[in-house]
Each structure stands twice: as structure tokens, then as C-alpha cells.
């Protein structure tokens, strides 16, 4: 990344954080390293985020907002319950750094209002189609099953834990979710 020059330092630090997390994971991140990456003093990131947890809180909130936007786009373009799940998997793969932080509340201020609001918005869209699941399934259990399935699949894909995943995570996720949630 080129050094920061009189722009949106907050955005530049968040972008550098995504790169650093992609390279080394969320626990290895430091504000000092991010300052170096964007070419500013250590005080720059501290001014915007106060500490590492503050930075990861902003990243988690941004991630939940991005996830909610992706799920809404899928739903509003006619995507069914399975396609919303596939959208979740796509997000997890395309925004891996965010995904790795979002579900690690031990790394950020989980009581932060921006995180809670974005998290609730994403959750509502993700489970919005659970009432249309065929059969005599309890909608609350269907919501939990669907989230567990797509989150687990995305995590297994991202960590390389699947023995023969193929090369198309969306088709694979669609097939797996379709086994449980299609008519």
C-alpha cells in the first residue's frame, strides 16, 4: 500500500487492517504496524480507534454491514432461503478478514452499538426465509440450522479443512444447503 496522503486516514487504516488480517490473522494485528503500512505516525490510528479492540470493533461493524447489504441484495433480487445462504458463503470468502473478526467478539467491543445494530440487521435478513422452509420444521430451529450450516461451510472452506472441496464454493454450498432446505 502506498503511504497515506491527506485523505481519509480512518478508511486507509481499515483497508490496511484487512490486508494485515488476510496475511497474518486478526490476533497478530497491531496499530503500530498499520501506521507503518499507511505511512503515518502511531498516533494516527490511535486517534481514530484508541486501541486494537477499537479498530477491530470498527472492522466488525463494517463487516456486518457489508454482509447485511449482500444478503439484502440477494433477497431483493428474488433469492430464496438457499440463495441467501450461498450469499453468506460468498461474503465469507470474498471478505475473509472481516469474517474472521466478526465472529470473534473476544477481539472487539461486542457491546458497541454500531456492531449490535449491523449484526442484528444481518441476522434478520439471513433468517428471513426460515418460515418458508418446507415440511413441519420449527422456524427457530430452521434458522439455527441454516446459519450453522452456511457458517460452518464457509469456515471449513476458508480454513482449507475440506478434503475435496472442488473449485466452486457457491455451487457446493448451494448443493449442501439444498439437501436440507429445498423442496
Amino acid at each position: 500500500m502506498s503511504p497515506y496522503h491527506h485523505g481519509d486516514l480512518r478508511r486507509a487504516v481499515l483497508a490496511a487492517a484487512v490486508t494485515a488480517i488476510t496475511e497474518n490473522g486478526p490476533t497478530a494485528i497491531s496499530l503500530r504496524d498499520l501506521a507503518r503500512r499507511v505511512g503515518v505516525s502511531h498516533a494516527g490510528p490511535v486517534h481514530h480507534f484508541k486501541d486494537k479492540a477499537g479498530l477491530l470493533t470498527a472492522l466488525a461493524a463494517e463487516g456486518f454491514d457489508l454482509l447485511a447489504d449482500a444478503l439484502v441484495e440477494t433477497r431483493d433480487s428474488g433469492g430464496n432461503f438457499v440463495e441467501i445462504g450461498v450469499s453468506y458463503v460468498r461474503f465469507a470468502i470474498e471478505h475473509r478478514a472481516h469474517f474472521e473478526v466478526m465472529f470473534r467478539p473476544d477481539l472487539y467491543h461486542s457491546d458497541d452499538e454500531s456492531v449490535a445494530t449491523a449484526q442484528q440487521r444481518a441476522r434478520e435478513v439471513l433468517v428471513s426465509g426460515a418460515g418458508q422452509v418446507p415440511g413441519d420444521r420449527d422456524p427457530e430451529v430452521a434458522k439455527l440450522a441454516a446459519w450453522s450450516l452456511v457458517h460452518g461451510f464457509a469456515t471449513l472452506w476458508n480454513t482449507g479443512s475440506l478434503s475435496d472441496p472442488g473449485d466452486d464454493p457457491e455451487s457446493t454450498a448451494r448443493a449442501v444447503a439444498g439437501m436440507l432446505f429445498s423442496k
Side-chain angles (χ1 to χ4, degrees):
M1 175 174 270
S2 61
Y4 164 79
H5 292 287
H6 305 290
D8 186 351
L9 179 59
R10 184 178 194 283
R11 170 78 342 241
V13 172
L14 285 170
V18 167
T19 301
I21 291 168
T22 301
E23 293 170 358
N24 302 309
T27 58
I29 200 168
S30 76
L31 293 181
R32 193 166 302 281
D33 175 56
L34 297 177
R36 181 191 55 75
R37 287 175 185 252
V38 297
V40 298
S41 75
H42 176 65
V46 170
H47 171 74
H48 286 280
F49 302 106
K50 295 189 177 155
D51 58 14
K52 178 179 173 177
L55 168 78
L56 294 176
T57 300
L59 201 65
E62 180 179 80
F64 281 115
D65 275 332
L66 290 169
L67 174 59
D69 291 346
L71 298 176
V72 165
E73 182 179 335
T74 299
R75 181 196 65 200
D76 290 354
S77 66
N80 62 18
F81 194 50
V82 169
E83 289 306 314
I84 290 172
V86 172
S87 182
Y88 184 98
V89 170
R90 181 182 319 111
F91 168 84
I93 293 168
E94 292 176 357
H95 298 278
R96 184 173 178 170
H98 287 91
F99 189 74
E100 287 187 29
V101 172
M102 292 161 57
F103 298 99
R104 292 282 313 273
D106 58 309
L107 298 178
Y108 61 85
H109 304 293
S110 59
D111 60 346
D112 183 89
E113 185 63 32
S114 64
V115 172
T117 300
Q119 189 177 39
Q120 182 60 32
R121 183 172 157 246
R123 180 179 294 120
E124 286 173 1
V125 180
L126 179 64
V127 301
S128 63
Q132 285 75 46
V133 171
D136 293 332
R137 296 185 177 131
D138 177 342
E140 292 306 310
V141 174
K143 290 174 188 179
L144 179 59
W147 184 31
S148 299
L149 185 133
V150 295
H151 186 85
F153 179 84
T155 300
L156 291 168
W157 185 277
N158 278 347
T159 60
S161 298
L162 299 173
S163 61
D164 184 18
D167 60 356
D168 184 0
E170 292 180 34
S171 292
T172 306
R174 188 174 290 111
V176 169
M179 289 180 72
L180 297 178
F181 297 107
S182 289
K183 292 183 180 182

